[in-house]
């Protein structure tokens, strides 16, 4: 998977380097002089940029119905009519609040730091809806200063321009496009019931195969069965797996975690990462842990389920977001109140509950 | 409703932008296309669509060509090339460098476009609304005229002038900045009216608001101000200090209303 950002400053577009630096210096001066104590957004190429769509940040189900039933023009006027009414929180809202908490802690420890979360609102919406979105952001006092309202155009070009580390949307087509363009992305789902989440610690849970790692092993399971899979994993225990679409995001989280460790805050770190995999520890777990080690990445908790359902365990963990490539697991998580995000990558997309989707279609 | 005569959006473009006058040309071949070519073609398709909607349409673009210190030989080449490319140019104005600003004023130019920042700046100083003409990466692709407005300029209110003082601008500069905002208004209103002739989708005219260093509240103020002027923009961006070049590369606007601040700071 291509990495959008490195730790060091990424090369600026030709001729744009001094222009970009100048733009940035002026903005820095402007914000530093602002009378209000609102924190300044970080520099794009050192920040961990998370782009959220309007429908993941806010609950726009009612509004969406207006668009579907009455068309675009009516939808835009409807939004304008309700401009002063703040929208209700959406699936990504708790995640965004948790990101803000981490930023506050980071700013306490590193007042001049540029390595922070940067939350960008990336929406297909028409700019006129923007006023309601800004009013809603103000209402909840969210730390979102950057946004793109593309008025119907695809956001992919802008995601790249903003150096996005993670893109969350309700639209699986856009998510697919983003992943194909090398940007970590996932389709968010609203859980069937509400869960109380930590307000002091950001918790992110990842599936292993086809999320953090490539789908190479999953292909073996699907095509040759479990026994072949176990043998293959044992034989290749010391050969790291290839990267998956969300590896870079885990890496970005790890980079921020290290900043807390450096200040002796390991026990009180406001970021916690979890691996929740269907692999079993004994027969196929070692390769996973060794791969992470070879990448220089740490994961706080690795949970091997050996095929057991993920829902109950996730209920205990209560992550602000859980990434998985298989809809079966997403649905299981959703049912028990976990905020789940589907990563449409790899061989898992062609299967449903272990059966090839084409065959299912033929049968019915 | 505006009086009929006021409806034409007279846009002046420098002949140096329409054609490439530098490279040597043989007598028979037309001049090479310049930066403004894509703009003029896009404007022509807007006009076509407006006329399709209503034959008696008065709210149209009128492009006039402005030539500063052009030699006689060049003038005839310019006429011929314009004809060759089927460019709808309402007027050809040739003048000296000294009379340049006066020519703009006399022709009631509602917008002067140039790829030369200094020219844009002098026009603004002379009270003529002026904006930057952008180099298009791909001359062929555009069938939509894209106009980009500065949210920093439009979102400016009485309260936010304190903010400018903090940045180090003096009263004269702040006054010029406010004046620049006033000049955008007429143009924005006409564009707004034109834009309203088309629906949300499939419009030949596309408007964008970009706030480069203002906060989201400045962006919201800009959106509401434009709405009050009758312009509902299609796309909006708030960069909060992020470099704008990558976004502009994706957007590819034809017209860019600079926030004036950069210009002013250089003086």
């Amino acid at each position: 998977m291509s990495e959008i950002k490195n730790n060091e400053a990424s090369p600026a577009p030709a001729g744009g380097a001094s222009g970009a630096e100048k733009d940035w210096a002026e903005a820095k001066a402007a914000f530093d002089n602002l009378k209000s104590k609102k924190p300044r957004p970080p520099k794009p190429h050192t920040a961990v940029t998370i782009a959220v769509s309007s429908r993941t940040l806010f609950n726009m189900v009612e509004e969406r119905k207006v668009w579907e039933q009455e068309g675009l023009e009516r939808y835009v006027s409807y939004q304008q009519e309700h401009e002063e009414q703040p929208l209700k929180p959406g699936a990504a809202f708790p995640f965004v609040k948790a990101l803000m908490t981490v930023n506050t802690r980071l700013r306490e420890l590193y007042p001049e730091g540029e390595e922070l979360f940067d939350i960008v609102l990336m929406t297909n919406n028409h700019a006129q809806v923007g006023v309601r979105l800004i009013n809603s952001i103000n209402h909840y006092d969210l730390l979102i200063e950057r946004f793109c309202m593309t008025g119907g155009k695809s956001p992919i070009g802008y995601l790249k321009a903003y150096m996005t580390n993670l893109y969350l949307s309700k639209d699986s087509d856009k998510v697919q496009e983003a992943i194909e363009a090398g940007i970590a992305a996932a389709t968010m789902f609203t859980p069937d019931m509400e869960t109380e989440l930590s307000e002091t610690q950001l918790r992110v849970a990842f599936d292993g195969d086809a999320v953090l790692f490539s789908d190479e092993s999953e292909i073996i399971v699907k095509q040759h069965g479990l026994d072949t899979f176990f043998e293959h994993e044992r034989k290749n225990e010391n050969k790291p797996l290839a990267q998956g679409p969300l590896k870079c995001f885990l890496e970005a989280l790890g980079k921020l975690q290290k900043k807390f460790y450096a200040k002796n805050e390991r026990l009180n770190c406001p970021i916690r990462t979890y691996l929740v995999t269907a692999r079993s520890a004994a027969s196929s777990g070692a390769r996973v842990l060794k791969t992470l080690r070879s990448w220089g990445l740490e994961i706080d908790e690795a949970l091997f389920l050996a095929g057991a359902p993920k829902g109950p365990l996730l209920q205990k963990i209560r992550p602000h977001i859980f990434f998985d490539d298989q809809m079966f697991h997403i649905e299981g998580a959703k049912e028990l109140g976990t905020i789940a995000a589907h990563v449409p990558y790899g061989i898992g997309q062609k299967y449903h509950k272990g059966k090839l989707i084409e065959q299912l279609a033929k049968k019915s | 409703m505006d009086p009929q005569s006021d409806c034409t959006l007279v846009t002046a473009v420098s002949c140096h932008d329409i054609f490439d006058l530098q490279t040597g040309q043989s007598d028979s071949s037309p001049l090479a296309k310049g930066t403004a070519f894509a703009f003029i073609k896009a404007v022509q398709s807007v006009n076509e669509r407006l006329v399709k909607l209503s034959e008696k349409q008065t709210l149209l673009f009128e492009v006039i060509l402005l030539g500063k210190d052009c030699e006689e030989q060049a003038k005839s080449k310019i006429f011929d090339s314009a004809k060759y490319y089927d460019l709808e140019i309402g007027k050809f104005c040739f003048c000296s460098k000294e009379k340049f600003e006066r020519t703009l004023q006399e022709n009631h130019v509602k917008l002067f476009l140039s790829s030369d920042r200094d020219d844009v700046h002098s026009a603004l100083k002379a009270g003529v609304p002026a904006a930057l003409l952008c180099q298009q990466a791909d001359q062929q692709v555009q069938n939509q005229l894209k106009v980009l407005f500065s949210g920093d300029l439009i979102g400016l209110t009485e309260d936010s002038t304190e903010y400018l003082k903090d940045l180090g601008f003096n009263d004269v500069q702040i006054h010029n900045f406010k004046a620049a905002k006033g000049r955008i208004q007429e143009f924005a209103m006409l564009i707004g009216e034109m834009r309203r002739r088309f629906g949300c989708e499939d419009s030949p005219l596309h408007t964008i608001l970009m706030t480069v260093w203002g906060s989201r509240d400045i962006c919201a103020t800009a959106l509401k101000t434009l709405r009050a002027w009758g312009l509902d923009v299609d796309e909006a961006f708030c960069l909060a200090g992020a470099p704008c070049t990558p976004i502009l590369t994706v957007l590819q606007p034809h017209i860019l209303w600079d926030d004036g601040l950069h210009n002013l700071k250089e003086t």
Side-chain angles (χ1 to χ4, degrees), chain A residues 52-244:
Chain A
V52 295
S53 78
S54 55
R55 284 195 293 152
T56 56
L57 185 60
F58 297 117
N59 181 333
M60 313 244 293
V61 171
E62 285 305 314
E63 286 77 9
R64 180 99 177 150
K65 275 200 206 126
V66 173
W67 177 68
E68 281 166 1
Q69 290 166 4
E70 298 178 62
L72 183 58
E73 310 267 356
R74 178 69 201 116
Y75 164 77
V76 176
S77 352
Y78 177 88
Q79 292 283 33
Q80 257 179 256
E81 284 159 26
H82 292 84
E83 224 161 62
E84 300 301 315
Q85 253 175 23
L87 295 155
K88 292 205 216 51
F93 194 88
F95 179 59
V96 167
K97 292 287 285 189
L99 295 175
M100 285 166 57
T101 308
V102 176
N103 269 7
T104 311
R105 289 282 305 274
L106 280 169
R107 285 197 163 103
E108 280 165 17
L109 295 173
Y110 300 87
E112 295 300 307
E114 295 290 336
E115 289 174 322
L116 296 161
F117 284 116
D118 183 18
I119 310 154
V120 176
L121 178 67
M122 180 72 66
T123 174
N124 232 28
N125 261 304
H126 204 259
Q128 292 317 305
V129 181
V131 182
R132 188 174 189 196
L133 290 170
I134 296 176
N135 284 345
S136 304
I137 290 174
N138 282 339
H139 175 83
Y140 296 105
D141 206 13
L142 298 177
L143 205 67
I144 301 178
E145 288 295 342
R146 296 194 170 129
F147 44 86
C148 286
M149 291 159 196
T150 72
K153 305 229 160 110
S154 161
I156 303 303
Y158 305 115
L159 285 173
K160 289 198 182 138
Y162 271 114
M163 299 159 117
T164 309
N165 291 87
L166 177 68
Y167 171 53
L168 298 173
S169 171
K170 282 257 176 187
D171 184 336
S172 52
D173 291 328
K174 295 205 184 68
V175 169
Q176 184 94 42
E177 238 192 289
I179 294 205
E180 281 162 17
I183 301 171
T187 318
M188 288 212 76
F189 288 85
T190 311
D192 296 344
M193 51 197 225
E194 259 198 65
T195 311
E196 213 187 286
L197 299 168
S198 169
E199 293 196 354
T200 51
Q201 191 183 57
L202 167 69
R203 294 187 188 163
V204 184
F206 299 86
D207 172 34
D209 297 286
V211 172
L212 286 178
F213 313 113
S214 75
D215 64 343
E216 59 191 86
S217 298
E218 209 151 295
I219 293 176
I220 297 175
V221 177
K222 296 281 195 292
Q223 292 177 351
H224 303 286
L226 268 179
D227 290 328
T228 316
F229 166 71
F230 289 142
E231 218 195 288
H232 182 265
E233 292 303 288
R234 251 196 302 271
K235 247 202 257 164
N236 290 288
E237 200 178 279
N238 293 311
K239 182 167 166 244
L241 289 156
Q243 292 181 26

Side-chain angles (χ1 to χ4, degrees), chain B residues 230-249:
Chain B
L231 173 56
D232 283 343
V233 288
D234 296 292
E235 291 186 62
F237 296 85
C238 192
L239 303 187
C244 55
T245 322
I247 303 276
L248 288 175
T249 312

Side-chain angles (χ1 to χ4, degrees), chain B residues 145-190:
Chain B
L145 178 65
K146 293 192 193 161
V147 187
L148 191 141
F149 291 93
S150 161
D152 298 299
L153 197 59
I154 298 173
L156 195 68
T157 57
E158 278 311 318
D159 302 327
S160 46
T161 48
E162 276 308 306
Y163 169 33
L164 287 175
K165 287 213 180 101
D166 287 340
L167 284 174
F169 289 107
N170 59 42
D171 289 329
V172 174
Q173 288 174 317
I174 293 178
H175 171 80
N176 287 341
F177 191 57
K178 283 198 209 168
K181 178 180 172 182
R183 261 167 251 129
I184 291 186
Q185 183 169 347
E186 202 194 343
F187 176 72
M189 289 174 84
L190 287 170

Side-chain angles (χ1 to χ4, degrees), chain B residues 1-4 7 58 193 197:
Chain B
M1 277 306 270
D2 304 301
Q4 297 284 52
C7 268
T58 48
E193 241 201 275
R197 304 264 203 268

Side-chain angles (χ1 to χ4, degrees), chain B residues 19 21 27-31 65 70-84 92 94:
Chain B
F19 300 116
L21 294 167
D27 273 323
S28 46
S29 57
L31 293 163
L65 182 149
C70 284
E71 296 166 356
E72 283 309 314
Q73 235 186 337
K75 285 186 200 175
S76 58
K77 275 238 87 149
I78 289 171
F79 281 126
D80 293 336
S81 304
K83 212 167 154 193
Y84 175 82
F92 292 79
F94 295 102

